[in-house]
Amino acid sequence: MATIPGKHHEDLVEAAGMPVGSGVSKSGYDPRLTNEDLAPLKKQQWGSYNIFAFWMSDVHSVGGYVTAGSLFALGLSSWQVLISLVVGITIVYFFCNLVAKPSQVTGVPYPVINRVAFGVLGANVPAIIRGSIAVAWYGIQTYLASAALDVVVLKLWPSLMPYADVNQYGFLGLPLLGWCTYALLWVLQAAVFWTGMETIRKFIDFCGPAVYVVMFLLAGYLIAEAGWSAIDLNLGEVEYHGLDAIPVMLGAIALVVSYFSGPMLNFGDFSRYGKSFKAVKLGNFLGLPVNFLMFSILTVVTASLTVPVFGELITDPVATVARIDSTFAIVLGALTFTIATIGINIVANFISPAFDFSNVSPQRISWRAGGMIAAVGSVLLTPWNLYNNPDVIHYTLETLGAFIGPLFGVLIADYYLVRRQQVDVDAMFTMSPTGRYWYRKGYNPPAVIATAAGAIIAVIPVLWTGGPGMHEIAKYSWFIGCALGFGVYLSLVKRR
């Protein structure tokens, strides 16, 4: 097997933590499109449990807890919420299987498989969009994990409380203690990532189950304090009945799909490691419908019990464990949720930009370098200011999120309806003008046009929230973008 020429070839390590050469780089592959991180895998060894653990890490976090709890506070009855959850997570499961197959069959990550639809150079369009979204959320998730760690630090050393006050010791909107915990978690995440995909696999195999243990312990403690009769699956008053509940249920379904839209889009970055598509599908089934429903029910049980035990509804798990009169319980709970948030951050927001940015310039940016670009960028965004300003989040992250739907629609339409699941792997790594995926100067106009059209229309209700009905329509921006990307792409391809 030939190697790829390059000034810093020794840094082009394979993403799965194996020696250089685990990606099969053939002699005809163009260096401008190839490194060992992007080339088709030599071995695909992940089983169903590894995929299951991936989804556990993605769900079992502070953000997942709050999202699941919020569904039960929409004014719906518990059975209406459960129906919405089942429908929403089933849609996610179905779409994840669609995205998983092309990367599992070819052994290449998300930005590379996009070369089939967008062109060998045009694939950088979806790569940069997805990578940018991941960078912003990476910083926010790191901040949330550091906030959980702050709880532990202040419980053990109460004298540090002044350093948690942004007005006394603050810089750029974050107190000194926050800077220290953020920096610590930033370094820890980078260290886990730097060791490679195999270490990440082992890390996420641990994170998801660990949160379940703490959640069950927390629920057991609250049940012991309040009794079984205090459990209530409605976190608020039931306000909607009959047909009036349908729009709210549809909004809940959209919320579930939107929550998973990021990792769902680039799930190929992980499914490529699956030893078979059957194993990936089983892992998806266990990790999505089964796991998400169980976690959601456990979440609402825990949240509902905070009312009789603490006298108020607490939807943040870290805040819940902080109210327990036990230093050990607080430290165990907060550390577990910190680790879990690190887990979701690495799988959802670190690995994606690592591949995406590496795809832009494979010989200059290795998988590791791409990840570090994302890590540095996440600090420069001062994510704590983003998170504390809902308007900024709305106009930046949701605007970028509106692009995810069209990217998904184009990829699925191309692979299943245009290519009929037939992909020339070698053609994804050639810059020859006669190459199958060269199109027009490396770009496929229908894919670019479909993405732009879908994103522009989908983002209108996100930005124009004051327009008639726009606030409600904005909930479905992913579906709107996906349908438009799918439809426009197919119509343009057929016309050509």
Side-chain angles (χ1 to χ4, degrees):
M1 182 181 69
T3 56
I4 305 170
K7 187 180 293 185
H8 302 290
H9 173 72
E10 67 279 0
D11 186 46
L12 300 178
V13 294
E14 209 290 317
M18 303 174 189
V20 171
S22 292
V24 183
S25 303
K26 298 181 180 179
S27 58
Y29 286 5
D30 196 296
R32 291 169 290 179
L33 298 173
T34 318
N35 62 30
E36 271 78 0
D37 305 322
L38 301 176
L41 290 176
K42 189 175 183 179
K43 294 181 180 179
Q44 295 168 286
Q45 299 176 320
W46 284 28
S48 297
Y49 178 77
N50 302 125
I51 301 297
F52 173 38
F54 162 80
W55 287 117
M56 279 198 290
S57 289
D58 198 43
V59 172
H60 301 177
S61 65
V62 175
Y65 187 105
V66 174
T67 299
S70 67
L71 294 174
F72 287 86
L74 291 174
L76 297 171
S77 65
S78 55
W79 69 267
Q80 291 170 331
V81 174
L82 290 175
I83 289 176
S84 303
L85 282 173
V86 170
V87 174
I89 204 63
T90 300
I91 292 173
V92 173
Y93 167 70
F94 176 71
F95 284 162
C96 279
N97 286 340
L98 291 179
V99 171
K101 191 169 187 179
S103 285
Q104 193 283 321
V105 172
T106 59
V108 298
Y110 168 75
V112 175
I113 198 65
N114 268 296
R115 294 173 184 176
V116 178
F118 285 84
V120 291
L121 296 179
N124 286 323
V125 172
I128 291 173
I129 292 173
R130 177 65 184 102
S132 300
I133 295 171
V135 170
W137 277 113
Y138 176 80
I140 289 174
Q141 289 282 11
T142 302
Y143 166 66
L144 290 175
S146 70
L149 190 57
D150 288 344
V151 173
V152 177
V153 173
L154 292 175
K155 182 65 179 181
L156 296 177
W157 299 284
S159 60
L160 294 177
M161 188 66 73
Y163 299 99
D165 185 352
V166 69
N167 294 318
Q168 294 187 54
Y169 298 94
F171 176 67
L172 295 178
L174 193 67
L176 180 59
L177 179 62
W179 273 106
C180 293
T181 52
Y182 187 93
L184 175 62
L185 291 178
W186 191 93
V187 171
L188 286 176
Q189 289 177 121
V192 173
F193 169 81
W194 194 263
T195 56
M197 200 70 171
E198 186 62 17
T199 302
I200 293 171
R201 179 188 65 79
K202 294 176 181 177
F203 186 74
I204 62 178
D205 283 354
F206 163 79
C207 288
V211 174
Y212 260 139
V213 171
V214 170
M215 285 284 288
F216 276 113
L217 289 174
L218 181 59
Y221 167 80
L222 294 173
I223 290 172
E225 292 289 314
W228 288 94
S229 60
I231 296 176
D232 185 359
L233 293 183
N234 295 318
L235 297 185
E237 294 294 326
V238 178
E239 301 174 9
Y240 303 96
H241 303 275
L243 294 178
D244 292 338
I246 292 179
V248 184
M249 292 174 69
L250 291 175
I253 292 169
L255 180 62
V256 172
V257 177
S258 297
Y259 180 77
F260 288 100
S261 62
M264 183 169 66
L265 179 66
N266 69 289
F267 183 57
D269 290 341
F270 300 91
S271 67
R272 71 183 295 224
Y273 296 101
K275 58 186 178 183
S276 69
F277 182 54
K278 182 178 180 181
V280 172
K281 285 198 298 183
L282 178 58
N284 283 345
F285 178 75
L286 294 174
L288 289 168
V290 175
N291 172 62
F292 187 63
L293 282 175
M294 182 179 294
F295 182 76
S296 297
I297 293 172
L298 190 57
T299 292
V300 73
V301 167
T302 304
S304 69
L305 289 171
T306 61
V307 177
V309 176
F310 303 118
E312 61 178 313
L313 177 64
I314 304 175
T315 57
D316 185 332
V318 178
T320 301
V321 297
R323 298 287 289 271
I324 300 174
D325 190 21
S326 168
T327 301
F328 173 76
I330 292 174
V331 172
L332 176 64
L335 282 179
T336 302
F337 279 103
T338 298
I339 293 171
T341 304
I342 291 174
I344 183 180
N345 218 9
I346 290 175
V347 300
N349 303 317
F350 212 147
I351 291 173
S352 173
F355 281 121
D356 293 336
F357 296 151
S358 180
N359 188 73
V360 174
S361 183
Q363 288 303 298
R364 293 186 178 90
I365 306 174
S366 68
W367 185 74
R368 284 175 171 171
M372 296 315 295
I373 290 173
V376 173
S378 70
V379 179
L380 297 178
L381 286 173
T382 61
W384 44 90
N385 291 323
L386 280 178
Y387 185 74
N388 292 326
N389 189 329
D391 289 335
V392 173
I393 290 181
H394 176 76
Y395 289 114
T396 56
L397 300 182
E398 288 189 12
T399 300
L400 288 170
F403 285 77
I404 290 180
L407 295 176
F408 186 93
V410 170
L411 176 62
I412 298 305
D414 183 80
Y415 181 74
Y416 288 97
L417 299 182
V418 177
R419 311 292 165 191
R420 305 288 182 179
Q421 302 185 46
Q422 300 299 314
V423 173
D424 185 342
V425 176
D426 293 341
M428 291 190 286
F429 295 92
T430 177
M431 291 281 284
S432 170
T434 59
R436 180 172 294 183
Y437 307 129
W438 176 253
Y439 301 113
R440 188 178 299 174
K441 296 182 179 179
Y443 293 82
N444 187 18
V448 177
I449 293 171
T451 298
I456 290 171
I457 295 175
V459 85
I460 289 175
V462 176
L463 299 179
W464 189 28
T465 51
M470 290 295 126
H471 179 70
E472 287 299 314
I473 296 174
K475 298 178 183 177
Y476 307 99
S477 60
W478 185 92
F479 292 94
I480 295 170
C482 180
L484 287 171
F486 186 94
V488 172
Y489 180 72
L490 283 181
S491 64
L492 291 176
V493 168
K494 288 180 180 179
R495 185 175 298 177
R496 291 185 68 189

